Amino acid sequence: MRLTPRFLLSAAAPLAALPGRAVAEGMPQLHFKDPLLQGQVVWGAIIFIIFYLLLSRSALPRVADVIKARETRIQSDLDLARRARKDADQAQKELCEAREKASEDANATIQSIRETTRDAIRVQAEETAARLEAEIKNAEAQIILSRNNALNSINEVASSTAVTLAERLIGTADQKAIAAAVERAHAAGAEHVS
Amino acid sequence: MASGSTIDALGQFELHPIFGSFGEALRFSQAPLYMVISSAVVLAFLYVGMKPKAVVPGRLQAAAEVSYDFVHGLAVDTIGEKGTSFFPFIFALFFFILAGNYIGLLPFSYTFTSHIAVTFALAITVFIICILTSLRFQGMSFFKHFMPEGAPVALSPILVPIEILSYISRPISLSIRLFANMVAGHVLLEVFASFTIMLAGLGVVGDALAVAPLVLNIALTALELLVGLLQAYVFAILTCIYLREAVDH
């Protein structure tokens, strides 16, 4: 074929003639008496119904099951995580409370020990002081008693010494007079002393 | 096919019996064959895709789940809660048409959605389901919708026939929209493909020129991919809208 005006015309003609041809020969889709066209509709109905039944009874529920299973699993995992977090929070709270309580208990124990110790020390100190006081008093009484005893025995010793001296000197001794004299001297001495 | 200097753009829509005498006897042409193929492809897509049943889906399973979620969302969002029971039908409708449109784009295949008889059969199915649903959910008050509320009674002789006519025209517009889109696309592809063959017959100059319609055809194929999806979507969403009216009003 050559690129002649005649050819160009003939090439363009079908485009222009298309509607005309369609009317002339008719679109195959409009040959409604064509048994194949009628059969196509019947077959189409059968195929579409089978397609629909397979989809609705088998294929689509399968997809739905998978999607639902995934949602359920994600939900349960989320629940699990949420529960774990709640447990952890609870545990932490309990730990904090326990720590606070232990701290309070320890403080109370320290306080009570401190008080008990202080009381014990005070009581002990008081007891010691009282004992010392009593011992001092006892000692003082002992001293006074010893002193008195000593003072009392002075007269006797002096009398017996005077009697012995008098007997040696003069041969005789008036024991009563000597005792009286000693008594007087002692009294005078005591006055002097005191 | 291009034969000589004429273009037979409509020959591609002719039906021929297949499988020999079986096809002739049972009136089984390429159209039902491609219906079977389309349905099988969609079912295989779902069955094979969902086979792993993985919690973390692979590509094919994710695709199957996305298509499920997409149509489910379409049905439930448009129709409402009662849309769940219509969901398998919407899914079947959408993917039957989509697979038909797309498989028809493959070379040497056949587009059954380019037949008004098929699209009208689908549309009339939708129409009948809508009427039955309306009668079930609304009873006789369904017929009140043919008289617009608040309109003067005097106008009813005009309004009621108009409303009935517009209601009846739904399956017609639904079917012609899909049919015309498919036919137009395939006629264009055929015409430009024929140009390529005709120009290639002209020698060196023709070979160079023949590239132009070929490039155009590539662009047209892309456009047809869009149109095929869009028409399936339009068919499905209009069905949903009609069903919502049937359920809701």
Side-chain angles (χ1 to χ4, degrees), chain A residues 1-3 7 10-12 14-15 18 21-22 25-30 32 34-41 43-45 47-48 50-52 54-56 58-64 66-67 70 73-74, chain B residues 5 7-8 10 13-17 26-29 31-32 35-36 39 42-43 46-47 50 53-55 57 61 65 68-69 87-89 91-93 96 114-118 179 183 187 191 195 201-202:
Chain A
M1 246 176 245
R2 293 283 174 270
L3 193 61
F7 169 73
S10 67
L15 264 188
L18 214 55
R21 272 174 56 88
E25 291 185 10
M27 296 171 82
Q29 295 99 315
L30 298 179
F32 293 117
D34 181 359
L36 284 173
L37 196 143
Q38 293 165 7
Q40 172 186 241
V41 176
W43 279 113
I47 293 161
F48 188 78
I50 293 169
F51 180 55
Y52 170 78
L54 279 173
L55 277 179
S56 63
S58 163
L60 291 176
R62 218 173 262 218
V63 184
V66 171
I67 291 175
R70 177 181 307 131
R73 177 155 169 202
I74 288 172
Chain B
S5 58
I7 301 172
D8 179 16
L10 293 172
F13 302 117
E14 273 169 16
L15 293 163
H16 304 288
L26 291 175
R27 301 179 176 186
F28 199 90
S29 53
M35 288 175 190
V36 172
S39 306
V42 173
L43 287 168
L46 289 179
Y47 281 124
M50 297 314 289
K53 294 188 176 183
V55 174
Q61 192 188 332
E65 284 179 19
Y68 178 95
D69 279 339
F87 161 65
F89 176 64
F91 191 94
L93 211 54
F96 191 66
S114 66
H115 266 258
I116 182 73
V118 174
F179 155 72
V183 170
V187 166
V191 166
F195 280 172
L202 300 178

Side-chain angles (χ1 to χ4, degrees), chain B residues 172-187:
Chain B
I172 297 165
S173 68
L174 199 58
S175 57
I176 290 181
R177 187 180 299 111
L178 175 59
F179 155 72
N181 268 286
M182 286 305 114
V183 170
H186 284 268
V187 166

Side-chain angles (χ1 to χ4, degrees), chain B residues 25-94:
Chain B
L26 291 175
R27 301 179 176 186
F28 199 90
S29 53
Q30 328 91 297
L33 175 69
Y34 278 93
M35 288 175 190
V36 172
I37 291 172
S38 301
S39 306
V41 165
V42 173
L43 287 168
F45 167 62
L46 289 179
Y47 281 124
V48 175
M50 297 314 289
K51 207 175 178 186
K53 294 188 176 183
V55 174
V56 180
R59 283 185 200 185
L60 200 61
Q61 192 188 332
E65 284 179 19
V66 163
S67 55
Y68 178 95
D69 279 339
F70 172 70
V71 182
H72 193 264
L74 186 78
V76 174
D77 291 348
T78 314
I79 304 174
E81 271 180 36
K82 289 162 190 157
T84 319
S85 55
F86 294 108
F87 161 65
F89 176 64
I90 305 292
F91 191 94
L93 211 54
F94 178 73

